[in-house]
Amino acid sequence: MQKISGLIAAPFTPFDESGELNLALIPAYYDMLKKNKVTGAFICGSTGEGVSLTFDEKVAVMTAWASLTSTDAEFTLMMLLGGTNIKECQQLARLAEQVGVDAVSFTSPSYFKPANVDQLAKCCVEIAGASPRTAFYYYHIPVLTGGNFPMIELLKKIDGVIPNFRGIKYTHEDFMDFLSCMNFAERKYDMLWGRDENMLSALVLGVKGAVGSTYNYAAPLYLRLMEAFEAGDLEKANALQQQSIDMISLLGKYGGIAVGKAFMKLISLNCGEFRLPVKNMSIEQFALFKADVMKLGFQDFAAHGCDKPEDGR
């Protein structure tokens, strides 16, 4: 039951100007994450627009990443299989195991929703069994799926039932439930924190690994935050978390999840735009956004490794 530590970025799926996959960008993306001491990638998740990709596109993205990471023992590749279609999740799980993905993940069905934790556990059993030699994580993000069950109840249902169940990617604000999951069965399971803006609070509970979208373009900020916490400098850690909050507040100001790709353009990694139904910002909004970003001192904690900041869209 090896546990993941450090920052796991949730990469954006790169698209070209016509909205098609731009797989050629992935090697540079991987290289940038490595240079910024990111220890893994959680692909095809919320940030990666997994719900907006076709089955074949998911396979293509997964294969492109796996071709780079399968021999990298220091980098963990995690693949979100999906949640709505159980059969499709099983098919992807089998392919993930074949190409050498380190871990697969599944999130609650959001159309035909599980009636209770028992049904959710049954889904996990069916999907995890499709890739028995690959670590399996449940992805808890009730704000998007509506599957708002206590995760401690899920752990009780699956403990000892799913041999390759490794833990939970926890993207929610219920610290009571999260701590109960961490302490369950003598801290057997790997609990990965998924709210970048609350990292400091999670570190206090003992978190060692986190998955997030802002680690793509601001990993140095969070590494400093973790270092300050480990050193006992809570004032510095507090200030760094506030910088994170101020940065993340721009996502709300300029339209939500698609703003992440605008941040990527500022570190010279153009991943294109988000697909419908997500709204992308206009050229005028991008200029205002860039000005706001610079006021935060973004250049002091932005990810490095790309040649130069990109000025335009």
Side-chain angles (χ1 to χ4, degrees):
M1 297 296 288
Q2 183 180 356
K3 295 182 179 180
I4 294 169
S5 61
L7 302 179
I8 305 293
F12 300 90
T13 296
F15 297 127
D16 61 22
E17 293 182 356
S18 62
E20 300 301 320
L21 291 181
N22 180 13
L23 300 179
L25 190 66
I26 291 177
Y29 205 144
Y30 166 65
D31 184 58
M32 183 274 293
L33 293 178
K34 292 280 288 183
K35 286 181 179 178
N36 285 276
K37 300 180 180 179
V38 172
T39 58
F42 186 92
I43 59 174
C44 296
S46 307
T47 303
E49 297 179 80
V51 294
S52 298
L53 302 178
T54 67
F55 182 88
D56 289 343
E57 286 176 329
K58 289 179 184 179
V59 173
V61 171
M62 179 175 69
T63 303
W65 276 99
S67 69
L68 300 167
T69 66
S70 59
T71 58
D72 187 346
E74 297 180 351
F75 195 90
T76 301
L77 183 64
M78 307 178 74
M79 171 71 182
L80 181 66
L81 306 172
T84 302
N85 188 318
I86 304 303
K87 283 292 186 183
E88 182 176 285
C89 290
Q90 291 175 309
Q91 292 171 7
L92 277 173
R94 294 185 189 101
L95 291 171
E97 189 157 273
Q98 290 174 15
V99 300
V101 169
D102 297 298
V104 294
S105 186
F106 159 74
T107 194
S108 176
S110 55
Y111 189 86
F112 291 136
K113 297 181 178 64
N116 49 45
V117 174
D118 288 322
Q119 290 302 109
L120 182 59
K122 289 178 181 178
C123 294
C124 291
V125 169
E126 290 296 318
I127 297 168
S131 53
R133 296 182 300 279
T134 303
F136 180 89
Y137 284 77
Y138 179 71
Y139 178 16
H140 185 49
I141 184 164
V143 69
L144 292 181
T145 65
N148 195 6
F149 304 112
M151 288 295 95
I152 185 62
E153 298 303 322
L154 179 64
L155 288 183
K156 291 175 182 177
K157 293 292 182 184
I158 57 85
D159 186 41
V161 176
I162 304 176
N164 56 327
F165 191 99
R166 188 68 56 81
I168 298 173
K169 177 187 182 296
Y170 199 99
T171 308
H172 192 39
E173 298 78 23
D174 190 338
F175 286 98
M176 182 177 73
D177 181 47
F178 183 79
L179 184 61
S180 295
C181 291
M182 286 192 71
N183 290 330
F184 178 73
E186 299 182 347
R187 303 189 178 182
K188 175 180 179 180
Y189 293 105
D190 191 12
M191 297 298 297
L192 301 174
W193 187 250
R195 284 283 189 221
D196 308 4
E197 63 271 33
N198 299 136
M199 175 184 274
L200 180 55
S201 300
L203 291 174
V204 172
L205 299 183
V207 162
K208 300 299 182 184
V211 182
S213 64
T214 63
Y215 309 154
N216 285 293
Y217 46 83
L221 171 62
Y222 295 96
L223 291 174
R224 292 171 198 166
L225 192 164
M226 296 170 79
E227 290 170 2
F229 176 78
E230 290 296 328
D233 191 344
L234 295 183
E235 284 298 316
K236 182 177 181 180
N238 182 304
L240 291 167
Q241 183 69 85
Q242 188 61 54
Q243 277 190 297
S244 160
I245 291 170
D246 293 342
M247 175 182 67
I248 290 171
S249 69
L250 295 183
L251 273 69
K253 181 176 180 179
Y254 286 98
I257 194 169
V259 178
K261 282 191 171 182
F263 272 109
M264 295 301 285
K265 290 173 183 175
L266 296 181
I267 64 165
S268 296
L269 207 63
N270 191 338
C271 296
E273 298 195 336
F274 266 67
R275 287 179 172 174
L276 287 171
V278 176
K279 183 180 184 298
N280 294 283
M281 66 176 69
S282 66
I283 295 175
E284 293 75 20
Q285 287 174 321
F286 182 78
L288 296 172
F289 160 77
K290 185 179 177 183
D292 276 350
V293 171
M294 293 306 122
K295 290 176 186 176
L296 296 178
F298 179 67
Q299 63 276 12
D300 295 329
F301 58 80
H304 55 273
C306 298
D307 295 331
K308 60 182 180 179
E310 185 167 307
D311 294 325
R313 288 173 58 80

